[in-house]
Amino acid sequence: MSRFLSLAEAVESTIRDGDTVAMEGFTHLIPYAAGHEVIRQRRRHLTLIRMTPDLIYDQLIGMGCADKLVFSWVGNPGVGSLHRFRDAYENGWPGPITIEEHSHAAMANAYEAGAAGLPLAVFRGYLGVDLPTVSPNAVILPSWTVGAIACVPGGAHPSYAHGYYKRDNAFYKAWDAISRDRDGFLAWMKANVLEQGPDAFAVHSRPQQAARANNAAE
């Protein structure tokens, strides 16, 4: 049965050193707050899986949390490289990382097979599904797959949560400069992750919450 926990409790109870972890999201609902909590709890030797690793995986890799990355595309969307990932892969800083690259289709098939407890997945495509009628923020998972739920307003920033807050494009551009230099990266992570908690994300959800309240009042 799933439990409502604080983010710190959820990470502590579900993620161990050496685990294989997927923190998904395709520009939308990327779990930055959860990734930052993994960093604060100093998890190590993780295998990270994601179809399109971007800034949060750059941060996890740069802080020494991961030994391996499984992916189908990697980069800072619309900007360029992930410099902490490249430094780890090319120079072994802060530690070496191995990679396993697949196509988008292969990654999707792997997720499908894993969810079904199968060694492989074969399908021709989806016909007649009603996903367009479902809220884009909905988590469409059977209840038995959910171990913990943590409420973190703004926790997907700098990605977006549809109807709650927008994508922070300026941050994605700024990250290119922040992450190029090792010392600059570590200073930013110390100030914005290690010395902060999940409550720091709430500020990013407030502007649109206020706008919705004003619209409702009118």
Side-chain angles (χ1 to χ4, degrees), residues 8 34 37 45 71 73 75 78 81 84 91 121 125 138 149 151 174 182 191 195:
E37 188 60 39
H45 308 300
F71 66 100
W73 178 91
S81 294
R84 294 302 94 223
N91 304 311
I149 301 169
C151 181
R182 293 175 182 175
E195 295 179 352

Side-chain angles (χ1 to χ4, degrees), residues 13-185:
S13 64
T14 58
I15 299 178
R16 300 281 187 268
D17 288 352
D19 276 356
T20 297
V21 180
M23 299 184 189
E24 276 292 351
F26 191 75
T27 74
H28 178 237
L29 293 177
I30 299 169
Y32 280 90
H36 287 178
E37 188 60 39
V38 169
I39 292 168
R40 282 191 290 271
Q41 294 193 20
R42 301 184 185 278
R43 292 294 183 265
R44 294 292 183 265
H45 308 300
L46 301 177
T47 294
L48 299 177
I49 299 176
R50 189 168 164 198
M51 296 177 75
T52 56
D54 63 0
L55 276 56
I56 188 57
Y57 275 26
D58 207 32
Q59 295 171 5
L60 286 158
I61 291 167
M63 294 302 287
C65 297
D67 288 350
K68 183 177 180 179
L69 178 65
V70 182
F71 66 100
S72 53
W73 178 91
V74 62
N76 184 346
V79 180
S81 294
L82 294 180
H83 301 296
R84 294 302 94 223
F85 162 70
R86 288 193 63 171
D87 204 5
Y89 185 67
E90 295 173 358
N91 304 311
W93 190 94
I97 189 165
T98 60
I99 64 172
E100 183 178 320
E101 186 172 6
H102 299 279
S103 69
H104 273 10
M107 293 286 290
N109 285 351
Y111 278 134
E112 178 78 7
L118 299 173
L120 57 87
V122 179
F123 52 92
R124 296 170 58 186
Y126 293 106
L127 297 175
V129 298
D130 61 356
L131 286 180
T133 68
V134 178
S135 166
N137 295 318
V139 179
I140 307 172
L141 293 170
S143 60
W144 53 265
T145 68
V146 181
I149 301 169
C151 181
V152 185
H157 179 270
S159 70
Y160 73 99
H162 183 72
Y164 291 87
Y165 49 92
K166 297 179 180 179
R167 187 179 191 266
D168 189 348
N169 293 320
F171 183 85
Y172 281 86
K173 294 178 181 178
W175 183 253
D176 188 66
I178 293 168
S179 63
R180 281 182 182 272
D181 174 72
R182 293 175 182 175
D183 291 337
F185 163 77

Side-chain angles (χ1 to χ4, degrees), residues 190-201:
K190 181 175 185 291
N192 294 280
V193 178
L194 299 179
E195 295 179 352
Q196 298 288 338
D199 291 346
F201 283 88

Side-chain angles (χ1 to χ4, degrees), residues 190-215:
K190 181 175 185 291
N192 294 280
V193 178
L194 299 179
E195 295 179 352
Q196 298 288 338
D199 291 346
F201 283 88
V203 66
H204 303 297
S205 68
R206 288 172 186 157
Q208 240 172 310
Q209 286 178 340
R212 288 203 313 276
N214 291 335
N215 291 338

